[in-house]
DNA sequence: CGCTGAAATGTGAACGCAAACATGCGGGGT
DNA sequence: ACCCCGCATGTTTGCGTTCACATTTCAGCG
């Protein structure tokens, strides 16, 4: 018989009933040690694996949590997925990650959510830095707990994000503190909640210092788009301080600046966001605002777990504080007056 | 009733039998148009989703493929996972990704494989750039198709990888062609098959050109480790050409070189590997060997699909050719003789 | 007008497991 | 000696679906 062995095969081999096998498998009490070892031996000999579908069907419970993620090639999202994965393993949960492809995020998200729900996912984590996820979230049946990462407060679900507003302020204040009159901002894609929050933080810090906000440039998350913006900035003599959407954008800006002969940080100060591992090795080493992505992932899973045991959706939230990492790309502005 | 609706609920509502509902759901013939629309309406009204566990249990078939991946925060692995995910969505397969955490790769891989098998995965993709995966692979029951990515030929399973040996040769030859007497190599972690293959390619090209291989330095994949190696290299006046394990290592090397006042490419030529998106914006722009990760992912899924329809394991393999991307970090060696 | 057969629909079982309930067995208290 | 209780184990049922087969309906044809 080449068919995969089932519980009754094991039972027959061990000379017990299938229920005893079940008990051994689930660590139930009231199984004598000798029987247990006999059953275990039979399992090993047959190479038996229990059928999870049957188990889920019988119990009505599944310990798989679904993750809906997109842009998983980016450092942030991939770090979070990784962290969620590790945390899940620790909590004895299984993880199904749906990777939303780029072309049609809404349709793809839907399909993925549909699959996850049909699979009986016990809970869902949405890495939802853009609005596309919100719509797919509505497909989730009411009973299933949800946690969003980088979601919006008005979605009324448990959410965890880095406090990007605070991060934007931090970056801007740091530059201001060095004596820059104002700070330019190369923002990330406007669909991303994080970009908007950072922008708001930037404006807030500027306003608080009584500085006027220069026009904002719009980049993507890529070095390429940063480079484009950098070429513009390099032509603006007034521009002595730049807050970039993320580290890769900062890299692009830095490159463009260098090509135009503007030195960082002597002529222009620059600050990034994320603190990707290689940022410390840019030339010069990038001053940036660090996001603890792994921490976000862990908290997300913890909040999901809370809901799982509570048995219903709640709406607590967590904010992770970013931290400034001071390296070599921020200095005092060039002394224009020659004092 | 707050219980999730099941097929018979839909059937009752539509005034048909549960089997007719099933037929509609599965697109079977012999259902009259009017009944079909009635059933569809009932499904919509009730918000019915079919229970995938029950379906898998009944059919014995599952259309989920498992992916076992590690180091998913790295650009390469994450790109491949993403590509596999997109391809799977296109083939109407569901993907369960197990992310192996760093600390104990072997144990974690095992647990993940175990889960995937119990879940009834139809096939498995192992992103197996290190040996830890091989052991976990043995846990997979014989009937389940396997494809490895970056696996070893001696594992005797279908494998797809980038031809890293060719890549190593490509890089080395490119430097040699510019007149360098020899090429230094900062290698990646020796557990990774890719590192070893690149190293072999490097040695092969050197031997073919009659150049003597200088001692090899060992880095990780990180810019930090590249920096450490770069500090050594910067002190060696003979060293005019360096082939780095990957782009981030190259970045670290470049940084160390710059700190010691050795210019790239005037004093030292440098070549990376991978072509990460930001490599073009390093300063100077990095010459590198491009790996088409997405292509690898797609091919992996295609080969798995082939096995799925064939119904058994096969041992075909695919090799993806890397390509040299010529940018600004390679030049002729400095003219020592002063000619 | 009744017969044939295909189309449309229904019925019962099976998938592999766990939960609830049932049974047998032995030992301690009175 | 009796009963009761707790441990170890077996039996039955049901989870939600699909599959194989049974049944009904209805059109077409001799």
């Amino acid at each position: 018989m080449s068919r995969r062995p089932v519980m009754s095969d094991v039972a027959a081999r061990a000379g017990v009933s299938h229920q005893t096998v079940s008990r051994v498998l689930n660590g139930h009490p009231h199984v004598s040690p000798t029987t247990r070892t006999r059953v275990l031996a039979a399992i090993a000999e047959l190479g038996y694996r229990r059928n999870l579908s049957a188990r889920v069907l019988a119990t009505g419970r599944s310990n798989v949590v679904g993750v809906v993620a997109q842009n998983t090639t980016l450092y942030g999202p991939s770090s979070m997925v990784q962290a969620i994965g590790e945390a899940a393993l620790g909590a004895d949960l299984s993880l199904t990650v749906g990777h939303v492809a780029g072309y049609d995020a809404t349709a793809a998200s839907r399909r993925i959510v549909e699959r996850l729900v049909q699979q009986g996912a016990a809970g869902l984590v949405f890495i939802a830095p853009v609005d596309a996820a919100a719509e797919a979230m509505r497909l989730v049946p009411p009973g299933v707990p949800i946690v969003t990462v980088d979601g919006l407060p008005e979605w009324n679900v448990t959410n965890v994000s880095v406090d990007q507003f605070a991060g934007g302020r931090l970056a801007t204040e740091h530059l201001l503190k060095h004596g820059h009159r104002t700070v330019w901002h190369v923002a990330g894609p406007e669909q991303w909640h994080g970009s908007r929050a950072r922008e708001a933080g930037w404006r807030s810090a500027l306003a608080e210092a009584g500085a006027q906000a220069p026009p904002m440039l719009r980049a993507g998350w890529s070095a390429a788009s940063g480079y484009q913006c950098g070429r513009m900035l390099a032509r603006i003599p007034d521009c002595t301080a730049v807050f970039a959407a993320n580290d890769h954008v900062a890299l692009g800006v830095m490159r463009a600046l260098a090509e135009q002969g503007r030195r960082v940080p002597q002529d222009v100060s620059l600050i990034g966001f994320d603190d990707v591992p290689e940022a410390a090795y840019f030339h010069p080493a990038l001053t940036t605002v660090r996001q603890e992505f792994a921490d976000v992932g862990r908290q997300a899973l913890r909040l999901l777990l809370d809901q799982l045991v509570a048995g219903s959706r709640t709406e607590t939230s967590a904010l992770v504080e970013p931290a400034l990492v001071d390296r070599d790309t921020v200095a005092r502005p060039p002394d224009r007056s020659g004092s």
Side-chain angles (χ1 to χ4, degrees), chain A residues 237-257:
Chain A
D238 280 352
C239 170
T240 65
V242 178
F243 164 34
N246 75 0
D247 293 347
H248 287 154
V249 169
L251 179 68
V253 169
M254 212 150 78
R255 172 68 186 281
L257 255 22

Side-chain angles (χ1 to χ4, degrees), chain A residues 149-328:
Chain A
V149 169
D150 282 343
L152 252 24
E154 54 263 41
W155 292 348
N156 297 322
V157 294
T158 297
N159 178 68
V160 21
S161 13
V162 167
D163 190 344
Q164 316 246 13
F165 179 83
R169 285 188 54 103
L170 217 54
T172 311
E173 285 168 356
H174 185 69
L175 290 164
L176 255 18
K177 216 162 34 189
H178 278 76
H180 294 270
R181 205 179 299 273
T182 190
V183 175
W184 292 64
H185 182 37
V186 180
E190 71 179 315
Q191 299 86 358
W192 288 59
H193 310 141
S195 314
R196 300 208 292 261
R198 289 173 209 176
E199 179 193 338
W202 165 66
R203 288 193 194 283
S204 151
L206 245 33
E208 197 173 297
Q212 190 158 7
M216 194 187 71
L217 313 207
R218 180 72 67 188
W221 291 130
S222 67
S225 64
Y227 176 73
Q228 296 303 333
C229 295
R231 285 169 60 101
M232 308 212 55
L233 290 173
R235 297 167 183 277
I236 304 172
D238 280 352
C239 170
T240 65
V242 178
F243 164 34
N246 75 0
D247 293 347
H248 287 154
V249 169
L251 179 68
V253 169
M254 212 150 78
R255 172 68 186 281
L257 255 22
E259 285 181 3
Q260 306 288 325
R262 303 203 62 186
R263 294 161 305 163
V264 174
Q266 295 89 336
D267 299 323
V268 181
S269 286
L270 180 63
I271 193 164
F273 212 103
D274 281 0
D275 193 25
V276 297
E278 64 268 24
Y281 297 90
F282 289 174
H283 188 64
L286 187 69
T287 294
T288 188
V289 176
R290 179 174 177 81
Q291 303 199 61
E292 215 51 79
F293 291 114
D295 205 20
V296 173
R298 280 189 295 270
Q299 298 232 27
L301 198 75
R302 189 179 56 71
L303 289 178
L304 191 68
L305 231 45
D306 287 353
Q307 295 188 64
L308 249 31
V309 303
S312 70
R313 277 192 205 169
T314 56
E315 197 200 328
T316 51
S317 284
L319 225 43
V320 174
E321 283 310 310
L324 194 108
V325 181
D326 197 1
R327 289 198 274 250
D328 307 331

